[in-house]
Amino acid sequence: MIKEKKFLIPCLVSLICLGGIVNVKADSMISNNLKENYYSEITYYTGDELKNIQPYNVESEDGVLVGAVEKTVYVSEKKDDNGNIIDSHLMNEDEVKEYKKSLSTRDSSHLGNDSTSRGRLNILIQLFREGSEYRAYGNANWAIGAGTAEQAPASGRDFVALTWGGGNNLVQTSKSLSVTRHNGSAMSYSQAKADSYKGYCWSFDESTSSGDMDSLQAIVKIKRVSSALKNLQTSMKFTYIHTYQSTTGSISFSGGTAGSAAGVTLSSTSKKWQIEVDVPGIVY
């Protein structure tokens, strides 16, 4: 089981935007959620306050934490009488209000029933600098509600990716993934897409006969190709794609040639949803 370590600094300000809450700290950026059709809670950790933040799920790290972004979404899943998942979606603001109200009042009507379950997914990306190299940690944690139907994510193949920008100026030097079940055992995974100059993507079955996914951590280390610093900047992106169908298409990367991290797309898969977070701070 991955040993958890929490951020120690409380949020200073909360701005409510359409589609989600943005928790803002000193020297932080404000996210624009106007294009999202679901509710999310986002916290940006940047600037001087990073010196006082305890890294999450990092046992030892010699680098300097240059940025971190955390995002929480709320998930509702429904299955038919045969146990097949027929819907999985990210809840909107009204649904989340009812869900949180049920949690506080212990009213199970909005937590789930025989055919529906509700819970949340939290993703976090942390970016460390060590000389001319950068190491990114992407963490994901499920917390499912009290519904009796499905106490874990829907059965299907899920994908996680760490991608970056900078074109051919930044190259991957190492990568790893660990996926943990609720009972503490490790889950298997496979490579879904690899590009040494854009990113790495893994896939895994988040629900198996041996147990369901509880948490995961993806790690990628990159460095400048040239020893000469150009003083250009780009970002690192952590993407989580959830599917609830038996077959899936292929992963592709797009962009990533300059100041923005490469995007991740899963083709030929209609029963899915996707969330992502970007952290700036890569200088090359």
Side-chain angles (χ1 to χ4, degrees), residues 142-280:
W142 282 96
I144 301 302
T148 58
E150 187 73 20
Q151 296 300 316
S155 180
R157 197 80 176 165
D158 279 12
F159 300 80
V160 290
L162 284 166
T163 55
W164 56 91
N168 294 330
N169 293 291
L170 295 165
V171 61
Q172 171 222 304
T173 59
S174 65
K175 78 277 186 184
S176 66
L177 177 71
S178 61
V179 187
T180 306
R181 296 185 179 93
H182 286 284
N183 61 15
S185 62
M187 302 184 75
S188 61
Y189 55 86
S190 61
Q191 173 184 303
K193 177 71 175 179
D195 186 322
S196 296
Y197 297 95
K198 286 188 177 182
Y200 200 89
C201 181
W202 300 264
S203 67
F204 57 93
D205 291 316
E206 84 284 19
S207 182
T208 68
S209 59
S210 300
D212 303 315
M213 174 198 159
D214 174 66
S215 61
L216 65 79
Q217 183 175 74
I219 305 174
V220 162
K221 188 173 184 179
I222 61 174
K223 69 174 183 178
R224 294 199 309 265
V225 173
S226 173
S227 59
L229 181 63
K230 300 179 181 180
N231 281 319
L232 300 175
Q233 297 188 32
T234 190
S235 61
M236 180 75 67
K237 184 192 298 287
F238 181 48
T239 301
Y240 191 109
I241 302 175
H242 178 65
T243 76
Y244 54 107
Q245 64 182 70
S246 57
T247 59
T248 56
S250 59
I251 291 288
S252 61
F253 296 149
S254 61
T257 57
S260 299
V264 183
T265 301
L266 174 61
S267 66
S268 305
T269 305
S270 59
K271 296 181 178 181
K272 67 181 178 182
W273 47 258
Q274 177 172 335
I275 61 174
E276 55 197 28
V277 286
D278 286 84
V279 61

